[in-house]
Amino acid sequence: MVQAAGRLDTLLKETLGGPLPLRLRAWDGSEVGPADAPTLVVRSRRALHRLLWRPGELGLARAWVAGEITVEGDLYEALRRLAPLLWQRTEQPEPRRARGLRPDTRLLRTAGQVLALAGPSLPPPPPREEVPPRHGLKHTLRRDRAAISHHYDVGNDFYTMVLGPSMVYSCGYWPDRDSTLEQAQAAKLDLVCRKLALKPGMRLLDVGCGWGSMVLHAAEHYGVHAVGITISVEQAEFARKRVVDAGLTDRVEIRVQDYRQIDDGPFDAISSIGMAEHVGSAAYLTYARQLHGLLRPGGRLLNHQIARPPREDESTYAVDEFIDRYVFPDGELSPVGSTVSLLERAGLEVRDLESIREHYALTLRAWVANLEREWADAVRLVTPGRARIWRLYMAASALAFEQNGIGVNQVLAVRPRSGGSSEMPLVRGPWSPPEAAAD
Ligand SMILES: C[S@@+](CC[C@H](N)C(=O)[O-])C[C@H]1O[C@@H](n2cnc3c(N)ncnc32)[C@H](O)[C@@H]1O
């Protein structure tokens, strides 16, 4: 009897444009490939349909989400081995897409042979968690709110499980590799407060406040009056409860509000942590101008944002399809140079830039570990497909940060006074400790 794994291996070689660097096990139990590599398990023939109609990353992702393929062994190692093949493919133009998703006939022939091993072909059902492709990045208030809701309103219990008690959904600042996630997140929040030189009585705006961790930290340890805004209703409810529990209702306000709708400046300082990735290049100057307008002269902005490398020809940049469809609809990464330019065009003076790329890999690995440890509960809370999406996107992102595929930067900027004063110390030195902190 002909075994499926061998044929499947040939098909994958054709689809991916190179040999599969993993062991492969097919639905009939047959195996091929290196014995010391993680195993790609193809549980169902349906996975083939997906790969045929969308070779490369999106096809694999769809099969993964549907549970038709999985990895046994080290997921990071499997992704590390697969990454060069997938990137190679997604960098190429996709004429198939332009012609209306027609798989090429050579692949069809090979696939037909594989499918014939186990009976008639099956139509692939669309995975439920996928967002339909949307054309053009308009970034209207309504559309942005829908996109944010897709990612953030999936239940606070799920996020509590993944993010842990710190409830911070951005890169931590790891004092060392053995620190805990909670220590890393507290260190990051504190670093932001120190870069902003927060003092008691100051007015802080946290744009994209998530579950309220930054405004709570700043009010508790630096005595500021803080406003946190988010466009996720579930986040706001959770954050407001934390503010009540901490006894800080007189100093912390949480609003469901878009950054374009804030009209009660000036603020002494603004933090924006892991939020600007949602803004998009088309709206970025509006974002930068809005924050500039909300700062008092001499006030500081700390913009903490993921970046991608620049391209020789920027017009060839396309948002990663898997991330766009399944994870962050309408999210968009830009090179840090563009971010700096746009902040400056808006009238801000960029004073400091710190890359903390390695810290995001550590943070993501900690989130993946939390998710894997509580897997059964995660599946119950958000469906198996969604739990699989989160595991794949976080593990793949950890790898991308490790390999310098993407980075993350804290950009400190100031709105200079009219005479040019920045109110910055002459020498940067270590960011000053919280000497003026409240009790
Ligand atoms: C990755 S989370 C980061 C949350 C938080 N800063 C942290 O570090 O945990 C992104 C946040 O940006 C918010 N956000 C995205 N687009 C926004 C917009 N147009 N206006 C206001 N907030 C927005 C989301 O609601 C979410 O709270």
Side-chain angles (χ1 to χ4, degrees):
M1 179 187 135
V2 190
Q3 299 197 309
R7 291 279 179 84
L8 195 48
D9 192 43
T10 312
L11 175 67
L12 285 173
K13 215 174 278 169
E14 299 251 2
T15 315
L16 297 171
L20 184 73
L22 301 173
R23 190 158 181 80
L24 180 68
R25 184 183 320 135
W27 52 86
D28 62 354
S30 58
E31 291 193 18
V32 290
D36 59 345
T39 306
L40 179 71
V41 184
V42 182
R43 289 189 178 133
S44 155
R45 289 176 303 122
R46 274 187 206 280
L48 289 188
H49 289 262
R50 299 189 197 278
L51 269 175
L52 278 174
W53 288 96
R54 189 52 77 95
E57 186 183 287
L58 198 60
L60 278 174
R62 284 178 172 159
W64 173 276
V65 172
E68 296 153 3
I69 60 169
T70 189
V71 167
E72 276 178 17
D74 186 341
L75 177 59
Y76 296 102
E77 177 58 21
L79 290 171
R80 190 174 296 118
R81 287 169 181 246
L82 276 176
L85 287 175
L86 296 177
W87 286 341
Q88 197 180 305
R89 268 214 81 91
T90 46
E91 299 254 320
Q92 290 166 4
E94 291 191 56
R96 215 171 281 123
R97 199 166 5 146
R99 292 202 310 266
L101 285 177
R102 300 173 81 85
D104 73 39
T105 46
R106 189 169 44 90
L107 287 181
L108 262 182
R109 239 177 287 122
T110 324
Q113 291 167 3
V114 183
L115 290 169
L117 296 175
S121 61
L122 306 162
R128 275 188 296 145
E129 282 80 3
E130 188 169 3
V131 175
R134 300 190 285 178
H135 301 291
L137 290 178
K138 289 279 189 297
H139 286 288
T140 59
L141 297 187
R142 204 161 140 216
R143 178 170 162 150
D144 281 357
R145 201 169 278 211
I148 290 300
S149 180
H150 171 81
H151 188 81
Y152 296 102
D153 293 342
V154 301
N156 288 325
D157 290 346
F158 176 69
Y159 278 106
T160 307
M161 177 183 294
V162 174
L163 305 179
S166 55
M167 285 305 269
V168 181
Y169 196 19
S170 50
C171 170
Y173 197 71
W174 295 70
D176 57 62
R177 286 178 186 274
D178 298 328
S179 304
T180 63
L181 176 62
E182 282 63 47
Q183 287 167 335
Q185 293 298 6
K188 187 271 299 294
L189 297 177
D190 209 69
L191 180 67
V192 173
C193 292
R194 285 182 283 124
K195 285 183 174 178
L196 290 172
L198 297 184
K199 304 260 179 336
M202 276 187 170
R203 206 163 172 242
L204 168 73
L205 170 66
D206 186 36
V207 182
C209 68
W211 294 267
S213 301
M214 173 65 195
V215 281
L216 283 168
H217 186 95
E220 261 171 42
H221 300 283
Y222 290 79
V224 298
H225 290 265
V227 174
I229 64 150
T230 171
I231 50 173
S232 155
V233 173
E234 287 197 22
Q235 283 181 345
E237 282 167 6
F238 190 95
R240 284 186 188 128
K241 185 167 181 314
R242 287 175 88 191
V243 173
V244 172
D245 292 347
L248 286 167
T249 46
D250 56 333
R251 276 194 284 134
V252 179
E253 182 192 354
I254 304 289
R255 301 178 188 160
V256 176
Q257 191 174 40
D258 191 281
Y259 70 88
R260 288 157 285 200
Q261 296 174 316
I262 312 165
D263 59 4
D264 60 336
F267 291 87
D268 298 290
I270 301 179
S271 48
S272 173
I273 309 174
M275 178 271 172
E277 297 85 345
H278 293 293
V279 170
S281 51
Y284 207 90
L285 191 56
T286 305
Y287 162 80
R289 286 189 173 135
Q290 169 72 343
L291 300 193
H292 173 269
L294 289 167
L295 274 176
R296 69 160 170 83
R300 296 185 192 180
L301 162 70
L302 190 289
N303 191 75
H304 171 126
Q305 184 181 338
I306 299 173
R308 65 171 171 85
R311 295 202 152 211
E312 224 24 82
D313 174 2
E314 277 293 317
S315 69
T316 62
Y317 170 69
V319 176
D320 182 286
E321 275 189 289
F322 167 62
I323 297 287
D324 192 47
R325 295 238 190 148
Y326 287 98
V327 188
F328 289 113
D330 290 358
E332 193 184 336
L333 302 183
S334 294
V336 67
S338 313
T339 298
V340 166
S341 284
L342 289 164
L343 292 175
E344 289 185 334
R345 269 179 68 190
L348 293 157
E349 183 194 5
V350 170
R351 301 290 307 212
D352 184 80
L353 191 155
E354 183 176 4
S355 166
I356 53 172
R357 177 168 65 79
E358 293 79 1
H359 294 256
Y360 222 148
L362 293 168
T363 306
L364 283 154
R365 279 178 178 263
W367 292 340
V368 171
N370 284 347
L371 177 61
E372 288 178 345
R373 203 177 41 249
E374 310 283 346
W375 187 254
D377 280 344
V379 163
R380 186 176 49 75
L381 286 170
V382 294
T383 76
R386 212 166 252 243
R388 283 189 212 111
I389 292 169
W390 250 252
R391 181 165 173 249
L392 181 63
Y393 117 75
M394 291 194 299
S397 302
L399 218 64
F401 282 105
E402 271 160 22
Q403 299 183 337
N404 194 24
I406 46 177
V408 56
N409 304 282
Q410 289 194 340
V411 177
L412 180 66
V414 64
R415 173 176 175 169
R417 291 184 162 281
S418 56
S421 163
S422 66
E423 294 189 14
M424 298 284 295
L426 199 55
V427 177
R428 170 158 100 14
W431 301 106
S432 53
E435 356 101 47
D439 320 324

